[in-house]
Amino acid sequence: MKDTKTRKIVRHVILLILALTSIVLSWVIWTNPARYERAKQVSSEKVQSNQVNRDKGDVILPTQVIYTKGEQQELVNNSKSSLPKAAVKEISSWKLSNITRVSRGNKEHFLDYATLSHSLMLKYPSNITGKIFNSIYDQKLNTNAEISQIVVNVNKPNEFFLLNDATYDVYQAKASKQDLKQLRKLIKQSDSQYKVKETIMNHNLINDYQTAIKVPYYSFSVNKESSSVFTANLLTNTDADSIDTKKIKDGTEYVSNDTTKRLLIKNNGFVTFNNASKANDTEESLKRNLELSFYQMKQLGVQVDNMRYFNFHENNHEIEFRDFVEGFPIFNADGLDTIKVAHQAKQTTTSFSIYNLDVPVPTSKSDKELPSTQDMLDELKYSGINTDKIEDIDIGYERPSTTKANSTVELEPTWFIKYHGDWTSYRDLVS
């Protein structure tokens, strides 16, 4: 009996202690809500960023597929699925070995391989390295060569070539465990084709459109990323880290508690992130720059489904990623749809925008007719442009500088010219 009374007393004392503890905690939260709300917010945003599962093969990806049959070449697309990604997946199941150089520095021989009959070509906007190729295609080729195009004979086994249009070098690898039927099936699944001729312009293998072509318009809704996503993923290591926030003339600046990381979000949505938390090796290779830049892009914590590796600016060790639609790059004068990561000796600088293309929406406009390559170049020459100084050309999409969340932007197809180091709409050059 006595034992039962003792247990009752102990039980009441425990319940009283729990009740008092609950009251004290509630009072602390009511009197200082900001601290708890902030910790909860940062934790939530980090969970959100973990949902962005990106692999190098999703971003460092060929952007265009060229099919050659006889003397006829076509740029082929599939609006329902990514042909480049499907081709990479198929090649990744093969076994490549014994790579050798079969041509060196010869433009004519290079074009022979680039126009190989019954071949499928995967084109990169800028060079990748052999080691990057190995990691993406799950291979073990012993090469340090840089690669700009991949050519596969889809009718004859064991004809697999890696090309570099900057040097006109061509490498051949022995290919086994091939299923060429799958590549031929991918080509048949294309639902849009543009007749082209692969030619060289200033050491760039370009698509020469022999006649005028019709290219569709596209429309997308615009998504605005919350600044808390970037502050959580870029500035803090733990939920307890503090961030110094201050308004400046053209935006808002966020600084980490150790002042090594600064995030500037301008009023127009353009963002610059400087990270001086560790020194960089300014002699880093293209491979290392690509890997570091891809990792930095992932750290942003935003969805970049259409983002692709676009260029490497060697002078400042900057990797440029850009949005693509159906194999065509998107350009904007204010840097929208572009992520740039530059590695200097004392800091890494990342620039991007909080306004990103989200989901495609229907457009009422019909296809736009663009002039042939030669007609476009003739028009530039007539306007006083020295066409011998043109570094590269490509059809792309021009995006207006709309910085309004939940709005819709229309992407207009047009020719773009790389002139004096910058990509510019040919309409702006001729006006």
Side-chain angles (χ1 to χ4, degrees):
M1 183 73 177
K2 182 178 179 181
D3 184 54
T4 303
K5 288 183 177 180
T6 302
R7 285 200 297 269
K8 286 183 178 180
I9 294 172
V10 171
R11 188 183 304 118
H12 283 93
V13 170
I14 292 174
L15 290 174
L16 179 62
I17 292 172
L18 291 174
L20 290 173
T21 302
S22 177
I23 293 172
V24 171
L25 287 175
S26 297
W27 178 82
V28 171
I29 293 174
W30 292 337
T31 56
N32 190 11
R35 176 183 173 185
Y36 286 83
E37 284 298 316
R38 180 190 175 279
K40 179 180 179 182
Q41 180 184 25
V42 172
S43 177
S44 174
E45 298 295 359
K46 287 187 176 181
V47 170
Q48 178 182 345
S49 73
N50 290 335
Q51 296 171 359
V52 186
N53 297 317
R54 304 292 286 167
D55 183 78
K56 287 201 297 288
D58 295 325
V59 177
I60 307 174
L61 189 74
T63 55
Q64 295 181 339
V65 177
I66 306 295
Y67 175 57
T68 303
K69 185 177 181 180
E71 296 183 357
Q72 179 65 53
Q73 292 188 289
E74 293 178 332
L75 169 63
V76 293
N77 286 315
N78 188 327
S79 60
K80 298 180 179 63
S81 62
S82 170
L83 279 184
K85 188 173 292 187
V88 170
K89 182 179 180 181
E90 181 60 31
I91 294 172
S92 298
S93 67
W94 302 352
K95 183 178 180 181
L96 303 176
S97 60
N98 300 337
I99 185 169
T100 57
R101 183 162 50 198
V102 294
S103 183
R104 182 176 187 178
N106 188 304
K107 179 179 177 180
E108 286 71 27
H109 288 172
F110 174 89
L111 280 173
D112 288 341
Y113 286 99
T115 57
L116 182 69
S117 183
H118 299 290
S119 69
L120 178 147
M121 176 193 288
L122 302 176
K123 298 181 69 175
Y124 285 89
S126 190
N127 283 5
I128 64 171
T129 67
K131 291 182 179 179
I132 289 290
F133 171 88
N134 283 338
S135 66
I136 292 173
Y137 291 80
D138 194 23
Q139 302 295 333
K140 296 180 181 179
L141 292 178
N142 183 20
T143 178
N144 293 318
E146 293 192 5
I147 301 161
S148 51
Q149 296 88 22
I150 298 168
V151 175
V152 185
N153 190 326
V154 297
N155 280 1
K156 186 178 180 181
N158 200 30
E159 288 202 356
F160 185 93
F161 304 97
L162 304 176
L163 283 61
N164 182 347
D165 55 13
T167 59
Y168 301 140
D169 287 351
V170 179
Y171 300 83
Q172 182 173 8
K174 181 180 178 181
S176 58
K177 298 183 179 180
Q178 290 179 290
D179 185 356
L180 296 176
K181 291 181 181 178
Q182 290 300 317
L183 285 187
R184 293 195 294 268
K185 183 178 178 181
L186 290 178
I187 296 169
K188 290 180 180 179
Q189 290 174 346
S190 65
D191 54 17
S192 69
Q193 302 85 25
Y194 301 97
K195 291 183 179 180
V196 297
K197 180 181 179 182
E198 295 300 295
T199 56
I200 295 290
M201 172 179 282
N202 195 15
H203 276 274
N204 285 296
L205 188 67
I206 65 167
N207 300 329
D208 183 356
Y209 299 85
Q210 305 281 287
T211 60
I213 60 170
K214 293 184 177 181
V215 185
Y217 284 84
Y218 281 95
S219 292
F220 285 82
S221 62
V222 177
N223 174 54
K224 179 182 179 182
E225 296 290 348
S226 169
S227 61
S228 59
V229 172
F230 308 126
T231 56
N233 289 298
L234 300 178
L235 297 178
T236 63
N237 296 317
T238 69
D239 290 349
D241 286 347
S242 61
I243 301 172
D244 181 28
T245 305
K246 63 178 180 180
K247 292 285 186 180
I248 59 176
K249 182 179 179 180
D250 57 351
T252 304
E253 185 179 50
Y254 304 85
V255 183
S256 63
N257 57 353
D258 62 358
T259 71
T260 62
K261 301 175 183 178
R262 296 177 181 271
L263 182 73
L264 172 62
I265 302 180
K266 293 186 177 181
N267 296 328
N268 64 1
F270 192 76
V271 185
T272 302
F273 171 59
N274 295 311
N275 183 0
S277 61
K278 60 181 180 180
N280 291 311
D281 179 4
T282 56
E283 298 302 320
E284 289 166 347
S285 64
L286 169 59
K287 173 183 178 293
R288 184 62 174 155
N289 274 276
L290 266 172
E291 291 176 335
L292 290 174
S293 299
F294 171 74
Y295 175 75
Q296 179 63 71
M297 186 180 71
K298 284 187 68 173
Q299 288 296 101
L300 300 182
V302 298
Q303 288 287 357
V304 284
D305 292 337
N306 298 316
M307 192 69 67
R308 301 288 181 264
Y309 163 56
F310 184 70
N311 201 8
F312 173 51
H313 304 277
E314 191 173 1
N315 59 334
N316 61 345
H317 301 272
E318 180 182 76
I319 296 291
E320 180 179 346
F321 302 97
R322 185 177 293 275
D323 270 343
F324 276 75
V325 175
E326 298 295 339
F328 298 119
I330 300 175
F331 294 93
N332 174 269
D334 295 329
L336 301 176
D337 307 304
T338 304
I339 298 175
K340 296 181 180 180
V341 184
H343 300 278
Q344 291 87 31
K346 296 183 179 181
Q347 71 175 6
T348 297
T349 301
T350 305
S351 58
F352 56 100
S353 173
I354 64 173
Y355 295 99
N356 301 307
L357 298 182
D358 195 5
V359 295
V361 297
T363 177
S364 59
K365 287 195 173 182
S366 58
D367 295 351
K368 179 180 179 181
E369 184 171 285
L370 300 180
S372 69
T373 302
Q374 190 57 56
D375 287 346
M376 181 269 298
L377 291 174
D378 289 343
E379 190 174 351
L380 288 174
K381 186 179 294 185
Y382 180 79
S383 300
I385 300 297
N386 185 351
T387 54
D388 292 334
K389 299 293 184 181
I390 292 176
E391 301 167 47
D392 201 356
I393 61 174
D394 201 357
I395 289 175
Y397 282 94
E398 188 167 24
R399 172 184 170 175
S401 296
T402 300
T403 55
K404 184 178 179 182
N406 301 318
S407 61
T408 299
V409 295
E410 185 175 73
L411 306 181
E412 181 179 1
T414 186
W415 276 104
F416 282 87
I417 317 300
K418 190 176 182 182
Y419 193 60
H420 296 310
D422 295 320
W423 285 93
T424 308
S425 165
Y426 97 102
R427 295 177 306 175
D428 293 337
L429 291 176
V430 300
S431 59

